């Protein structure tokens, strides 16, 4: 089983739609959780950290369910500029981060 | 301020040749990471440097891969006797202190093609 698993997509949604991505992780001792965004042929960049209580940043909401070892990212009112690959990231039991293979989002007009 | 920089941005080489990839982390960042991303794949951890500690080399795929970090700043990833399966984007990242809660800042990567 992969340490971090994501649905690869692609998710094709119209502008204005709400879309949700899910991610599961295998290491119950993980303590840090992130969503990174990677545009085509670009480097990954931090989108947001994920906190136990859930957190929101504008149109983006991240949630963590430790019991189920599950992380989610919700994007409301999708924009064309949201088109990218979204990487779920979890720390291992050291300082290393484990990256999922990503979920591709394509927002169309 | 300046971000993480990597050079070259693209490298084409012949099978069997050695290549060196360079990474300049953000000034003041003590932690430096190398990753590899093959087409359509996730990021694969290669090696991690933190300050003066011994590097974590657990992700290096074979003894053809090595890396060093001189003076706690610039890092060089060396691949000896390159193989076609080494073709990938090699990404470098740095963070302030290397803790698992810290944001990693990535460079633009080096696209390596082994013919």
């Amino acid at each position: 089983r992969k340490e971090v698993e994501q649905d690869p997509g692609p998710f094709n949604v119209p502008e204005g739609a709400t879309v949700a991505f899910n991610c599961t992780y295998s290491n119950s001792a993980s303590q840090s959780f992130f969503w990174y965004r990677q545009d085509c042929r670009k480097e990954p960049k931090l989108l947001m950290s994920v906190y136990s209580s859930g957190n929101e940043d504008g149109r983006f909401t991240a949630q963590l369910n430790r019991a189920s070892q599950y992380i989610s990212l919700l994007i409301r009112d999708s924009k064309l500029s949201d088109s990218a690959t979204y990487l779920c990231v979890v720390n291992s039991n050291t300082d290393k981060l484990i990256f999922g293979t990503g979920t591709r989002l394509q927002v169309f007009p | 301020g300046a971000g993480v920089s990597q050079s070259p941005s693209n490298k084409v080489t012949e099978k069997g040749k050695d290549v060196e990839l360079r990474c300049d982390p953000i000034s003041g960042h003590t932690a430096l990471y190398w990753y590899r991303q093959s087409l359509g794949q996730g990021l694969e951890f290669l090696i991690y440097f933190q300050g003066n500690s011994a590097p974590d080399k657990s992700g290096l795929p074979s003894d053809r891969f090595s890396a060093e970090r001189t003076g706690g700043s610039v890092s060089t990833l060396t691949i000896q006797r390159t193989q076609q399966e080494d073709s990938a984007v090699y990404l470098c990242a740095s963070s302030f202190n290397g803790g698992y809660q810290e944001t990693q800042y990535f460079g633009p990567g080096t696209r390596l093609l082994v013919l």
Side-chain angles (χ1 to χ4, degrees):
Chain A
R1 181 187 172 188
K2 288 183 182 177
E3 291 187 75
V4 178
E5 294 204 61
Q6 296 183 249
D7 181 340
F11 284 60
N12 295 304
V13 303
E15 276 187 289
T18 295
V19 61
F21 306 138
N22 301 321
C23 167
T24 58
Y25 61 95
S26 62
N27 186 349
S28 60
S30 293
Q31 298 180 57
S32 290
F33 310 91
F34 309 90
W35 284 100
Y36 276 69
R37 168 189 170 136
Q38 186 171 25
D39 291 287
C40 188
R41 296 181 67 81
K42 297 287 188 181
E43 69 273 22
K45 292 183 180 178
L46 178 69
L47 176 66
M48 59 196 302
S49 300
V50 186
Y51 303 119
S52 296
S53 55
N55 49 299
E56 188 174 308
D57 182 2
R59 298 182 293 107
F60 299 84
T61 300
Q63 292 200 311
L64 168 64
N65 183 321
R66 284 187 185 272
S68 301
Q69 295 178 209
Y70 168 100
I71 305 160
S72 66
L73 176 68
L74 182 78
I75 305 175
R76 291 182 299 278
D77 188 23
S78 298
K79 311 291 185 192
L80 295 176
S81 57
D82 293 334
S83 299
T85 297
Y86 291 83
L87 306 174
C88 176
V89 185
V90 176
N91 78 296
S92 67
N93 53 0
T94 64
D95 286 338
K96 293 198 298 257
L97 295 182
I98 308 298
F99 287 76
T101 53
T103 298
R104 193 154 66 89
L105 171 67
Q106 183 66 50
V107 182
F108 58 87
Chain B
V4 178
S5 61
Q6 291 186 244
S7 61
S9 53
N10 293 281
K11 177 71 176 179
V12 181
T13 191
E14 293 179 347
K15 178 181 171 181
K17 301 277 189 182
D18 297 353
V19 295
E20 283 191 352
L21 313 179
R22 177 187 168 106
C23 172
D24 281 273
I26 291 172
S27 177
H29 280 193
T30 61
L32 186 148
Y33 306 78
W34 282 99
Y35 297 88
R36 177 169 72 174
Q37 188 172 32
S38 302
L39 190 62
Q41 301 297 310
L43 272 71
E44 175 189 3
F45 166 79
L46 297 178
I47 188 168
Y48 163 45
F49 295 89
Q50 171 51 46
N52 296 321
S53 302
D56 178 348
K57 304 179 182 180
S58 59
L60 294 178
S62 77
D63 59 8
R64 296 186 296 104
F65 288 73
S66 63
E68 62 178 22
R69 189 178 184 192
T70 54
S73 181
V74 171
S75 177
T76 302
L77 177 69
T78 301
I79 309 174
Q80 295 178 309
R81 305 181 303 281
T82 52
Q83 303 294 311
Q84 288 181 332
E85 60 264 28
D86 299 335
S87 297
V89 178
Y90 289 81
L91 290 158
C92 174
S94 70
S95 68
F96 181 69
N97 209 27
Y100 57 79
Q101 295 175 322
E102 292 190 354
T103 302
Q104 292 187 15
Y105 297 88
F106 284 82
T110 294
R111 284 172 176 74
L112 175 66
L113 177 62
V114 182
L115 300 176

